[in-house]
Amino acid sequence: MNTENILKELNFKATRSSGPGGQHVNKTSSKIELTFYLENSLSLSENEKALLKVKLVSKLTKENVLILFCEETRSQHRNKEISIKRFLELLKTNLIRPKKRQKTKPSKGALKRRVETKKRTSIKKALRRKPNFD
C-alpha cells in the first residue's frame, strides 16, 4: 500500500459544522468530508479492494465509496489531518489478512489424564450413592 498515491486519490469537501461555537460556527466551513472511491483506486490491488469491500461493508455506500466526517476542532486544516489519519488507520487495520488456523490434536498424555480424572470423578460420585440392599 503506497500512502502517497492513496492520499492523491482522496477528495475533500468543507461544510459548516454543527454544535456549539457561536458565531464562528455560523461563518466558517470547518467540517471535513473525506471521500475515497474504492473501485477507481489505482493504488490498491484487486485483492486489496476485494478484502476492503468485505471488511468495510458497513462503512461503504452502494457505489463502494468510503465517506468519513470530521468536525472535532474549529480548524479546517486540523480536521483534515484527523480525517486523513483515521482513513489511513482504517486501511491499515483492514488490510491485515488473518492467519490460517492450524488444526492441533491433544497429546496422548493429555488424553490419558482426562480419562483418569473422569474415572476418579465417577468413583467419587458412586461412593456418594445410597447402598442398594437387594
Side-chain angles (χ1 to χ4, degrees):
M1 179 178 85
N2 189 356
T3 54
E4 292 171 14
N5 289 342
I6 288 178
L7 291 178
K8 291 176 186 174
E9 296 175 355
L10 297 177
N11 295 319
F12 296 97
K13 183 178 165 186
T15 55
R16 292 216 174 117
S17 183
S18 64
Q23 190 62 31
H24 184 278
V25 170
N26 301 335
K27 293 192 312 186
T28 59
S29 298
S30 60
K31 180 181 180 181
I32 292 292
E33 179 182 325
L34 177 147
T35 53
F36 177 69
Y37 295 89
L38 188 62
E39 292 291 329
N40 302 341
S41 176
L42 301 172
S43 304
L44 298 172
S45 68
E46 291 303 317
N47 292 338
E48 290 173 330
K49 287 180 190 179
L51 186 66
L52 286 173
K53 280 181 199 173
V54 171
K55 287 198 173 182
L56 297 176
V57 70
S58 62
K59 295 185 185 297
L60 293 173
T61 64
K62 289 179 184 175
E63 297 82 33
N64 290 324
V65 178
L66 178 69
I67 302 172
L68 297 175
F69 294 99
C70 184
E71 56 180 337
E72 289 177 14
T73 66
R74 291 172 60 164
S75 165
Q76 187 184 101
H77 299 291
R78 184 74 187 113
N79 283 338
K80 191 173 180 180
E81 289 172 13
I82 292 169
S83 62
I84 290 171
K85 188 176 171 185
R86 279 188 196 157
F87 171 75
L88 291 175
E89 190 65 34
L90 191 69
L91 281 189
K92 188 190 291 184
T93 55
N94 288 298
L95 281 176
I96 297 171
R97 289 194 180 272
K99 291 181 182 176
K100 270 198 165 179
R101 183 187 176 278
Q102 289 184 339
K103 293 182 181 178
T104 58
K105 287 184 184 177
S107 64
K108 287 183 180 178
L111 290 172
K112 191 175 178 182
R113 284 191 300 273
R114 185 178 139 264
V115 171
E116 285 174 3
T117 55
K118 286 181 90 161
K119 281 182 184 174
R120 271 197 303 261
T121 308
S122 172
I123 292 168
K124 185 195 306 179
K125 291 191 175 191
L127 291 172
R128 291 181 190 159
R129 289 191 207 122
K130 289 182 181 178
N132 192 0
F133 295 114
D134 286 343

